Amino acid sequence: MEARVEAPVPALVREVDGATLVFVTASDSMSSRVAVGRPDERGIDLGWLDVTYDFDPERYHRNVRVRVQDVTGPAYLASPFGGPLRPLPTVEGPSWAEVVVPFDDAPAALLIFPGCGEGTKQEPVERPVSELDLGATWDMELVPTLDNAWGDFARPSGEMPVLERWQLWHRADDDDVWKAVHATFGPHAIWSSAADRQWQPVTYSDSRGIHKDPIHRAVLGPKGHVPEEFLNFGNVPAGREVVLRTSMTVPAPGGFLAVGAAAAKTLFLNGETIPLTGHGYLAMSETPLAPGSYTLELRLVPDEDVWLRGHLSITTDPARCIRPEWMTVTGAPRPGAQVAFTTELPPGTLPSLLQVASAAACRVLVDGVEIGRQGGFEPYAEQDTPRVGRYELPSGHRLTLVLTENETPATVLLDGPVVSSAAWQATRDEAPRPVTLRS
C-alpha cells in the first residue's frame, strides 16, 4: 500500500470534517542523543540509571518537503502556539500536493488541507512585518513573593493548581546576618576527623533526615523514603577516627542508647566511658540510661575504607532496634565448598515469614528438613548480586542455611523471627569457622 505521506520525518495523518491534517516534526527518529554516566558499568552496577539526554536543536531540520497523497491545495500551516493560519506555496500533481514546511515557530507543525469544496478557501494572512529573536535558550527562576495581585493565594482547591515557592530565613541571637534555611532542618551536633580536627556542624531534620541525601539517585529522588542513617561523615579511610559531639536529653523512664555505624565504637557520656554490647553494625549500652541531660562524645574507627554513615537513638526495647547483618566466614573461599550457617530458633516460634538474601546457591532447612532453596545464577560476571527468597517458616528448633561457595566467600543475610548476627555458628565442609559481619 502506498504511503499517504512522503517526508524525511515521521508524520501523522488524520481526516477531520472533510479536511486533511498532517502533523510533522523537525526531528528524525533517534535525533536526540542518549548517554550514560558510566557506560562500562551498565550491568550489575546500574550505570545505565545515570542517563543524560541531548536535545541539541542544531540537529533538527529547518524545513522539510512533504508530499501528501489524495489532497489538493491550498495548504495552510497552523502554529502550535496559536495565531492565524499561514498559507504555504503548494505544488500539485495528478493525485498529490507538495509543500515545504518551515520550522521557524516551533520544532513541530500542523499542515491543513481543507480541500477544494465551497467555503474552504481562506484569505491569505500576512506575516508580521518585523520579528524579534528572543534566542533559543531561556532561564527560569521561581521568585518568592507575597504579591497577591492575581488572587492566587485565595484560589480554592479543585481549580488550577498554584505553583508556590516559600523561602525561610534565620538569624541567630548573636549574629546580624540573615541566612536561608530549610524548614525542619538544623544543626544538632558537631563532628571532626583525626586528620584535621576541624569541627563541622551535623545538620539534619528529625522527620526528613539529611537534606538532599546523597544516598538517593538524582534521577529518582527519595520517593518519600527517609534513611535510618541521619549521620553522614563521607569517605573515611581505614583506621581514621571520627569524633561526634552533641548534647542530649533522655526522657523518662530512661532507655538504652543504640548506636549504628560500620565502625568500631567508643562512647562517652559526661566524660565517662559507657560499655557497649554488640560486635557488628549495631551496638547498645549495656545498661539503660537514667532520665536527664548528657554531653555525648562518640568515636568511630572503621577497619576498612568506607563511606561512613550512622545513627543514634534512645529505646526502651532494644530488640526493636536489631537489624539483620551480612554474615560471612573467614578465610579464602573454596569454590564448590559447602558452607552451613546454623542457629537455634526461639522457643515457641510460630509459622512466620523468613527472608533470605544470598548471591550463592542456598538451601533452607528446619531441623534437617529442606523447606526451600534459591539459585545463585547471575548473568553479570563482574559482580555477584544477592537474590532474596521468601519462605514460610514452620515451627522447629534449628534453622540451617547451606550455601555453595564460589569465587567469593559465602555471604548471607536473614530477616524474620531470627536475624543474621554474630551469634550464628558456621562450618565449611563440616569444619567450624568463625562468623564475621559485613556492613
Side-chain angles (χ1 to χ4, degrees):
M1 181 177 179
E2 186 178 5
R4 184 75 188 277
V5 178
E6 298 177 20
V9 295
L12 181 67
V13 184
R14 292 291 185 269
E15 302 288 344
V16 179
D17 295 334
T20 301
L21 279 62
V22 181
F23 178 77
V24 292
T25 62
S27 60
D28 299 319
S29 298
M30 301 299 291
S31 64
S32 297
R33 307 292 171 79
V34 182
V36 296
R38 296 170 292 144
D40 295 334
E41 301 176 11
R42 297 188 64 178
I44 199 62
D45 285 335
L46 302 181
W48 56 271
L49 280 180
D50 298 321
V51 180
T52 58
Y53 297 91
D54 178 7
F55 297 99
D56 185 359
E58 294 300 322
R59 291 196 294 270
Y60 292 177
H61 294 283
R62 295 294 177 264
N63 54 70
V64 295
R65 186 175 299 275
V66 178
R67 175 176 292 188
V68 184
Q69 300 292 334
D70 302 327
V71 297
T72 59
Y76 296 90
L77 182 67
S79 170
F81 304 115
L85 299 179
R86 295 167 52 185
L88 295 179
T90 306
V91 176
E92 296 191 40
S95 61
W96 49 265
E98 186 176 274
V99 296
V100 176
V101 179
F103 295 106
D104 49 6
D105 278 350
L110 184 65
L111 275 176
I112 301 177
F113 294 90
C116 54
E118 184 178 353
T120 59
K121 297 291 184 179
Q122 299 196 21
E123 295 297 326
V125 178
E126 296 294 334
R127 295 289 289 165
V129 176
S130 62
E131 296 182 357
L132 176 62
D133 186 0
L134 299 179
T137 303
W138 287 46
D139 293 328
M140 182 184 71
E141 179 183 3
L142 293 177
V143 180
T145 178
L146 293 180
D147 181 6
N148 195 30
W150 304 101
D152 292 338
F153 297 167
R155 182 170 295 170
S157 60
E159 294 187 8
M160 182 183 298
V162 179
L163 180 62
E164 297 184 5
R165 180 180 184 270
W166 294 66
Q167 178 67 67
L168 303 180
W169 299 78
H170 171 75
R171 185 185 67 184
D173 295 336
D174 57 349
D175 193 352
D176 294 333
V177 179
W178 288 89
K179 299 178 181 179
V181 295
H182 299 279
T184 75
F185 290 86
H188 293 268
I190 57 175
W191 75 277
S192 73
S193 67
D196 50 32
R197 277 294 182 242
Q198 297 294 319
W199 294 98
Q200 306 176 51
V202 178
T203 303
Y204 58 86
S205 166
D206 290 338
S207 58
R208 291 165 175 80
I210 299 174
H211 183 249
K212 301 293 184 182
D213 195 330
I215 200 173
H216 299 300
R217 283 189 174 272
V219 294
L220 298 177
K223 303 297 185 184
H225 172 66
V226 179
E228 185 175 47
E229 299 171 314
F230 55 85
L231 303 174
N232 181 18
F233 305 107
N235 290 313
V236 179
R240 177 173 295 178
E241 183 182 67
V242 171
V243 180
L244 173 76
R245 290 178 180 173
T246 188
S247 59
M248 70 174 189
T249 299
V250 179
F256 294 85
L257 179 64
V259 182
K265 309 165 187 68
T266 306
L267 179 65
F268 299 89
L269 291 181
N270 295 340
E272 297 184 2
T273 305
I274 301 299
L276 299 174
T277 62
H279 304 285
Y281 176 88
L282 182 68
M284 290 275 187
S285 59
E286 290 185 351
T287 57
L289 305 181
S293 298
Y294 298 87
T295 299
L296 178 147
E297 179 174 301
L298 175 64
R299 300 179 182 178
L300 303 172
V301 182
D303 60 2
E304 60 182 22
D305 296 349
V306 66
W307 180 14
L308 186 60
R309 295 175 62 114
H311 63 84
L312 293 165
S313 62
I314 299 292
T315 179
T316 56
D317 185 2
R320 299 193 63 179
C321 292
I322 296 176
R323 303 289 187 269
E325 300 193 47
W326 290 99
M327 301 185 301
T328 187
V329 294
T330 59
R334 290 173 47 195
Q338 297 293 302
V339 178
F341 296 89
T342 306
T343 191
E344 299 296 324
L345 291 171
T349 300
L350 299 176
S352 55
L353 180 65
L354 179 72
Q355 299 187 91
V356 180
S358 172
C362 176
R363 299 169 57 220
V364 183
L365 302 94
V366 175
D367 293 337
V369 178
E370 182 178 301
I371 65 170
R373 63 173 63 191
Q374 57 198 65
F377 170 76
E378 175 55 62
Y380 303 111
E382 60 267 30
Q383 181 177 333
D384 291 327
T385 299
R387 299 300 182 187
V388 179
R390 297 161 63 93
Y391 307 96
E392 289 293 334
L393 184 65
S395 299
H397 299 88
R398 173 168 290 208
L399 174 65
T400 303
L401 305 177
V402 180
L403 281 69
T404 302
E405 205 163 39
N406 47 38
E407 286 75 15
T408 57
T411 305
V412 67
L413 179 145
L414 285 89
D415 194 12
V418 291
V419 299
S420 45
S421 68
W424 287 59
Q425 298 176 349
T427 61
R428 178 186 285 149
D429 288 340
E430 301 185 357
R433 306 288 299 184
V435 172
T436 58
L437 303 181
R438 178 173 60 86
S439 299

Short mmCIF file of all heavy atoms in Angstrom, two decimals, residues 405-430:
data_model
loop_
_atom_site.label_atom_id
_atom_site.label_comp_id
_atom_site.label_asym_id
_atom_site.label_seq_id
_atom_site.Cartn_x
_atom_site.Cartn_y
_atom_site.Cartn_z
N GLU A 405 29.77 -22.39 47.98
CA GLU A 405 30.70 -21.28 47.81
C GLU A 405 31.21 -21.22 46.37
O GLU A 405 31.39 -22.24 45.70
CB GLU A 405 31.87 -21.45 48.78
CG GLU A 405 32.56 -20.15 49.13
CD GLU A 405 33.42 -20.31 50.37
OE1 GLU A 405 34.05 -21.36 50.53
OE2 GLU A 405 33.45 -19.37 51.19
N ASN A 406 31.43 -19.97 45.90
CA ASN A 406 32.02 -19.78 44.58
C ASN A 406 33.32 -19.00 44.72
O ASN A 406 34.05 -19.20 45.70
CB ASN A 406 31.02 -19.09 43.65
CG ASN A 406 30.37 -17.88 44.31
OD1 ASN A 406 31.02 -17.15 45.05
ND2 ASN A 406 29.09 -17.69 44.05
N GLU A 407 33.61 -18.11 43.78
CA GLU A 407 34.89 -17.39 43.83
C GLU A 407 34.95 -16.37 44.96
O GLU A 407 36.02 -15.88 45.31
CB GLU A 407 35.16 -16.69 42.50
CG GLU A 407 35.56 -17.62 41.36
CD GLU A 407 34.39 -18.40 40.82
OE1 GLU A 407 33.24 -18.02 41.11
OE2 GLU A 407 34.59 -19.39 40.09
N THR A 408 33.81 -16.02 45.52
CA THR A 408 33.77 -15.09 46.65
C THR A 408 33.27 -15.82 47.89
O THR A 408 32.58 -16.84 47.78
CB THR A 408 32.83 -13.90 46.34
OG1 THR A 408 31.53 -14.40 46.04
CG2 THR A 408 33.35 -13.10 45.16
N PRO A 409 33.62 -15.34 49.08
CA PRO A 409 33.18 -16.03 50.30
C PRO A 409 31.65 -16.11 50.39
O PRO A 409 30.94 -15.22 49.92
CB PRO A 409 33.75 -15.15 51.42
CG PRO A 409 34.88 -14.40 50.81
CD PRO A 409 34.47 -14.17 49.38
N ALA A 410 31.17 -17.21 50.97
CA ALA A 410 29.74 -17.38 51.15
C ALA A 410 29.23 -16.31 52.11
O ALA A 410 29.72 -16.17 53.23
CB ALA A 410 29.45 -18.77 51.70
N THR A 411 28.23 -15.54 51.67
CA THR A 411 27.68 -14.44 52.45
C THR A 411 26.17 -14.50 52.38
O THR A 411 25.60 -14.71 51.31
CB THR A 411 28.18 -13.08 51.90
OG1 THR A 411 29.61 -13.09 51.86
CG2 THR A 411 27.70 -11.94 52.77
N VAL A 412 25.51 -14.30 53.53
CA VAL A 412 24.07 -14.45 53.59
C VAL A 412 23.50 -13.47 54.60
O VAL A 412 24.18 -13.06 55.55
CB VAL A 412 23.69 -15.91 53.94
CG1 VAL A 412 24.12 -16.25 55.37
CG2 VAL A 412 22.21 -16.16 53.74
N LEU A 413 22.23 -13.10 54.39
CA LEU A 413 21.51 -12.21 55.31
C LEU A 413 20.11 -12.75 55.50
O LEU A 413 19.47 -13.21 54.54
CB LEU A 413 21.47 -10.79 54.74
CG LEU A 413 20.73 -9.71 55.55
CD1 LEU A 413 21.43 -8.37 55.40
CD2 LEU A 413 19.28 -9.58 55.12
N LEU A 414 19.62 -12.71 56.76
CA LEU A 414 18.27 -13.20 57.07
C LEU A 414 17.50 -12.15 57.85
O LEU A 414 18.07 -11.42 58.66
CB LEU A 414 18.31 -14.47 57.93
CG LEU A 414 18.69 -15.77 57.25
CD1 LEU A 414 20.18 -15.95 57.28
CD2 LEU A 414 17.98 -16.93 57.94
N ASP A 415 16.19 -12.15 57.63
CA ASP A 415 15.30 -11.30 58.39
C ASP A 415 14.00 -12.05 58.64
O ASP A 415 13.49 -12.73 57.74
CB ASP A 415 15.02 -9.99 57.63
CG ASP A 415 14.40 -8.93 58.54
OD1 ASP A 415 14.39 -9.13 59.76
OD2 ASP A 415 13.93 -7.91 58.00
N GLY A 416 13.46 -11.92 59.84
CA GLY A 416 12.24 -12.63 60.21
C GLY A 416 12.23 -12.87 61.70
O GLY A 416 12.70 -12.03 62.48
N PRO A 417 11.72 -14.02 62.14
CA PRO A 417 11.73 -14.32 63.58
C PRO A 417 13.15 -14.46 64.13
O PRO A 417 13.36 -14.30 65.34
CB PRO A 417 10.96 -15.65 63.67
CG PRO A 417 11.04 -16.23 62.31
CD PRO A 417 11.06 -15.08 61.36
N VAL A 418 14.11 -14.76 63.26
CA VAL A 418 15.53 -14.71 63.63
C VAL A 418 16.23 -13.86 62.57
O VAL A 418 15.83 -13.84 61.41
CB VAL A 418 16.16 -16.12 63.70
CG1 VAL A 418 15.60 -16.89 64.86
CG2 VAL A 418 15.93 -16.88 62.39
N VAL A 419 17.27 -13.15 62.99
CA VAL A 419 18.03 -12.31 62.06
C VAL A 419 19.49 -12.75 62.09
O VAL A 419 19.97 -13.31 63.08
CB VAL A 419 17.91 -10.81 62.42
CG1 VAL A 419 16.47 -10.36 62.34
CG2 VAL A 419 18.49 -10.53 63.79
N SER A 420 20.17 -12.50 61.00
CA SER A 420 21.59 -12.85 60.93
C SER A 420 22.38 -11.95 61.86
O SER A 420 22.17 -10.73 61.91
CB SER A 420 22.08 -12.71 59.49
OG SER A 420 21.62 -11.50 58.91
N SER A 421 23.32 -12.56 62.59
CA SER A 421 24.14 -11.82 63.55
C SER A 421 25.38 -12.65 63.87
O SER A 421 25.56 -13.76 63.37
CB SER A 421 23.35 -11.55 64.84
OG SER A 421 23.10 -12.76 65.54
N ALA A 422 26.23 -12.10 64.75
CA ALA A 422 27.46 -12.81 65.13
C ALA A 422 27.18 -14.02 66.01
O ALA A 422 28.09 -14.81 66.29
CB ALA A 422 28.40 -11.85 65.86
N ALA A 423 25.93 -14.22 66.46
CA ALA A 423 25.61 -15.35 67.34
C ALA A 423 25.46 -16.66 66.57
O ALA A 423 25.38 -17.72 67.18
CB ALA A 423 24.32 -15.06 68.11
N TRP A 424 25.44 -16.63 65.25
CA TRP A 424 25.29 -17.86 64.47
C TRP A 424 26.58 -18.68 64.49
O TRP A 424 27.66 -18.15 64.74
CB TRP A 424 24.94 -17.52 63.02
CG TRP A 424 23.53 -17.03 62.83
CD1 TRP A 424 22.96 -15.96 63.40
CD2 TRP A 424 22.54 -17.61 61.97
NE1 TRP A 424 21.68 -15.80 62.97
CE2 TRP A 424 21.39 -16.81 62.08
CE3 TRP A 424 22.52 -18.71 61.11
CZ2 TRP A 424 20.23 -17.08 61.38
CZ3 TRP A 424 21.36 -18.98 60.40
CH2 TRP A 424 20.22 -18.18 60.54
N GLN A 425 26.44 -19.98 64.21
CA GLN A 425 27.59 -20.86 64.04
C GLN A 425 27.77 -21.15 62.56
O GLN A 425 26.79 -21.24 61.81
CB GLN A 425 27.37 -22.17 64.80
CG GLN A 425 27.23 -21.99 66.31
CD GLN A 425 26.93 -23.29 67.01
OE1 GLN A 425 26.62 -24.31 66.39
NE2 GLN A 425 27.02 -23.27 68.34
N ALA A 426 29.01 -21.32 62.14
CA ALA A 426 29.29 -21.57 60.73
C ALA A 426 30.28 -22.71 60.59
O ALA A 426 31.17 -22.90 61.42
CB ALA A 426 29.85 -20.32 60.06
N THR A 427 30.09 -23.51 59.52
CA THR A 427 31.04 -24.58 59.18
C THR A 427 31.28 -24.55 57.68
O THR A 427 30.41 -24.16 56.91
CB THR A 427 30.49 -25.97 59.57
OG1 THR A 427 29.27 -26.21 58.86
CG2 THR A 427 30.24 -26.05 61.07
N ARG A 428 32.49 -24.94 57.29
CA ARG A 428 32.81 -25.13 55.88
C ARG A 428 33.29 -26.56 55.73
O ARG A 428 34.29 -26.96 56.31
CB ARG A 428 33.88 -24.15 55.42
CG ARG A 428 34.28 -24.36 53.94
CD ARG A 428 35.45 -23.49 53.54
NE ARG A 428 35.05 -22.10 53.37
CZ ARG A 428 35.85 -21.07 53.60
NH1 ARG A 428 37.08 -21.28 54.06
NH2 ARG A 428 35.43 -19.84 53.41
N ASP A 429 32.53 -27.34 54.94
CA ASP A 429 32.81 -28.77 54.81
C ASP A 429 32.92 -29.41 56.18
O ASP A 429 33.85 -30.18 56.47
CB ASP A 429 34.10 -29.00 54.00
CG ASP A 429 33.89 -28.70 52.52
OD1 ASP A 429 32.74 -28.70 52.09
OD2 ASP A 429 34.89 -28.45 51.84
N GLU A 430 31.97 -29.03 57.08
CA GLU A 430 31.82 -29.58 58.43
C GLU A 430 32.93 -29.18 59.38
O GLU A 430 32.98 -29.66 60.51
CB GLU A 430 31.67 -31.10 58.39
CG GLU A 430 30.47 -31.57 57.58
CD GLU A 430 30.29 -33.07 57.65
OE1 GLU A 430 31.12 -33.74 58.28
OE2 GLU A 430 29.30 -33.56 57.07
#
